[in-house]
Amino acid sequence: MSAEPTEQPPHVSAQVFLDGIVAAVRSVFFYVLVGNYLGLGALAHEVGFSFWWMALSTLLVWAAPAQVILVSTLHTAALFEVALAVTLSSVRFLPMVAAILPMMRRPGVRQRDLLLPMHLTAISVWVEGMRLLPLMPAERRIAFYNGLGVGLMSAALIGGAIGFVLAAKLPPLLAAALLFFTPMAILMSSARNSRTLIDGLAFALGLVVGPVVAAQKIGLDLMWTGLIAGTVAYAVHRLREARRRGTS
Amino acid sequence: MSAELQSYLILIVVGFLPSEVWRWLGIALGRGLDEQSEIILWVRGVATALVAAVVARIILIPPGALAGVALSVRIAALAIGFFAFLFIRRSAFAGVLAGEAALIAGALAFGG
């Protein structure tokens, strides 16, 4: 036998990849992403980035919070501060990647085969992947996940492009409503994803501490807000845990 | 270097690399990482607060056309959207819809 028994013929891989794209279009996240990126595309237009810059930022960064930080601060903040804020907002990828990788690793899979699926990992793709991958044989998972990721990323690209073009053409009030979509969507997804006291408290404190720190004009205000509000939220969580353990 | 080329270079150095490095680290470290570990919980708090600060910034120092809507209307619309989310079955869709409706109604009623 010349071929590895577990190796997929190319046409099977292509079919599985297409299945992944179909799963993406069927996912509710597809439509959520179009909506989210409508606002982000409009934002990029208003701040003065080019159409292709916006599209490339989706392809390369593929993380809505990081892209919102990039687009809304790049023209006003120091590059170092922007990079720091982006990296802090993307730390979540580390545990996410570590959690989903074991489903794709098997003998014969090289590290570089994992680079594309891991680049495609964002919250939406990850949530659907964690749900769907266990349902299929291990040798099909990478191709399927790649299709899922490409499908969902397309939704973001489409939304971003439409938002960018619309921002230029809409009357001011509707353009304002389009721009308002981004803070609204972040607020909603943060509220929905907040599973612990830390999440909710950190967000609420960040809303209040942010403007206060910014008013001090000490610079790096995103970072300071994150550190102050995030640490306070974490400390409250620790105190509560300690008290619960003390009384039980 | 042209401004256009420079903006792409900045995108890679300030946007792509600082974000992508965590995905690479995730591949390198693989398993053996607890999502509930104390350091991850703290980092999640910091990241969440940071994103909240970005929301506050967009509301307080809005870009482009959004600046044409009064500050009080922007803040009230955000609050109305959040309460709609809380009271209408924690539906993000209802929240966004209510917030957007409040923004447009407020801007029409109280002027831009």
Side-chain angles (χ1 to χ4, degrees), chain B residues 7 9 37-38 41 44-46 49 53 55-56 58 62 66 68 73 86 102 108:
Chain B
S7 77
L9 200 68
S37 72
E38 293 299 317
L41 282 180
R44 222 170 75 189
V46 171
V55 168
I58 296 177
L66 192 54
V73 173
L86 285 185
L108 287 176

Side-chain angles (χ1 to χ4, degrees), chain A residues 94-95 97-99 101-102 105, chain B residues 26 28-35 37 39-40:
Chain A
L94 200 167
V97 164
L101 260 187
R105 275 219 172 99
Chain B
L29 294 178
R31 290 191 96 143
L33 199 101
D34 181 6
E35 217 196 329
S37 72
I39 181 88
I40 292 287

Side-chain angles (χ1 to χ4, degrees), chain A residues 19-37:
Chain A
D19 289 347
I21 292 184
V22 170
V25 176
R26 282 191 181 152
S27 161
V28 62
F29 283 109
F30 190 91
Y31 308 94
V32 172
L33 281 165
V34 171
N36 269 349
Y37 276 78

Side-chain angles (χ1 to χ4, degrees), chain B residues 6-92:
Chain B
Q6 198 182 348
S7 77
Y8 285 106
L9 200 68
I10 288 174
L11 172 60
I12 289 171
V13 176
V14 178
F16 172 67
L17 291 177
S19 183
E20 196 72 2
V21 68
W22 298 110
R23 292 177 172 121
W24 293 335
L25 275 175
I27 298 179
L29 294 178
R31 290 191 96 143
L33 199 101
D34 181 6
E35 217 196 329
Q36 293 299 313
S37 72
E38 293 299 317
I39 181 88
I40 292 287
L41 282 180
W42 176 71
V43 165
R44 222 170 75 189
V46 171
T48 305
L50 200 146
V51 169
V54 174
V55 168
R57 178 189 289 222
I58 296 177
I59 296 298
L60 293 180
I61 319 165
L66 192 54
V69 179
L71 175 65
S72 52
V73 173
R74 300 194 298 257
I75 294 177
L78 195 76
I80 288 170
F82 183 65
F83 284 114
F85 164 81
L86 285 185
F87 294 118
I88 308 176
R89 293 178 298 133
R90 291 180 72 84
S91 153

Side-chain angles (χ1 to χ4, degrees), chain A:
Chain A
M1 284 232 282
S2 57
E4 286 271 317
T6 55
E7 211 57 52
Q8 297 277 312
H11 68 274
V12 174
S13 289
Q15 183 57 48
V16 174
F17 179 80
L18 280 179
D19 289 347
I21 292 184
V22 170
V25 176
R26 282 191 181 152
S27 161
V28 62
F29 283 109
F30 190 91
Y31 308 94
V32 172
L33 281 165
V34 171
N36 269 349
Y37 276 78
L38 271 176
L40 196 50
L43 203 64
H45 175 271
E46 294 297 278
V47 182
F49 288 105
S50 76
F51 181 89
W52 294 112
W53 190 94
M54 173 61 210
L56 197 66
S57 89
T58 301
L59 274 177
L60 288 180
V61 182
W62 187 220
Q67 286 176 260
V68 174
I69 291 171
L70 267 183
V71 169
S72 61
T73 64
L74 210 44
H75 285 318
T76 51
L79 289 185
F80 167 72
E81 177 181 15
V82 181
L84 204 64
V86 165
T87 208
L88 280 170
S89 77
S90 290
V91 176
R92 65 176 186 281
F93 288 136
L94 200 167
M96 282 165 58
V97 164
I100 202 160
L101 260 187
M103 292 189 197
M104 294 182 215
R105 275 219 172 99
R106 61 193 177 82
V109 171
R110 294 153 300 185
Q111 289 285 83
R112 63 188 151 103
D113 298 329
L114 297 170
L115 283 176
L116 179 64
M118 291 312 106
H119 174 68
L120 291 170
T121 296
I123 291 181
S124 54
V125 183
W126 186 81
V127 168
E128 293 294 43
M130 293 292 276
R131 186 170 67 87
L132 296 171
L133 289 191
L135 306 177
M136 63 189 63
E139 66 272 14
R140 297 196 168 186
R141 289 177 185 167
I142 290 182
F144 181 85
Y145 194 79
N146 283 342
L148 187 69
V150 167
L152 288 174
M153 193 187 263
S154 307
L157 287 168
I158 293 167
I162 295 176
F164 191 95
V165 173
L166 276 183
K169 298 197 168 146
L170 287 176
L173 181 56
L174 290 183
L178 197 58
L179 290 166
F180 194 62
F181 208 94
T182 299
M184 228 34 251
I186 297 178
L187 178 67
M188 291 298 125
S189 66
S190 302
R192 229 171 35 160
N193 292 340
S194 80
R195 286 164 295 177
T196 63
L197 171 81
I198 296 184
D199 296 330
L201 194 59
F203 197 90
L205 284 171
L207 274 180
V208 178
V209 173
V212 174
V213 172
Q216 311 304 314
K217 304 227 178 292
I218 45 174
L220 301 180
D221 44 287
L222 287 182
M223 185 197 77
W224 289 119
T225 303
L227 286 177
I228 295 168
T231 305
V232 169
Y234 175 74
V236 170
H237 155 82
R238 282 297 291 265
L239 277 175
R240 211 175 64 150
E241 289 285 296
R243 191 168 303 161
R244 203 160 56 188
R245 242 174 265 135
T247 53
S248 63

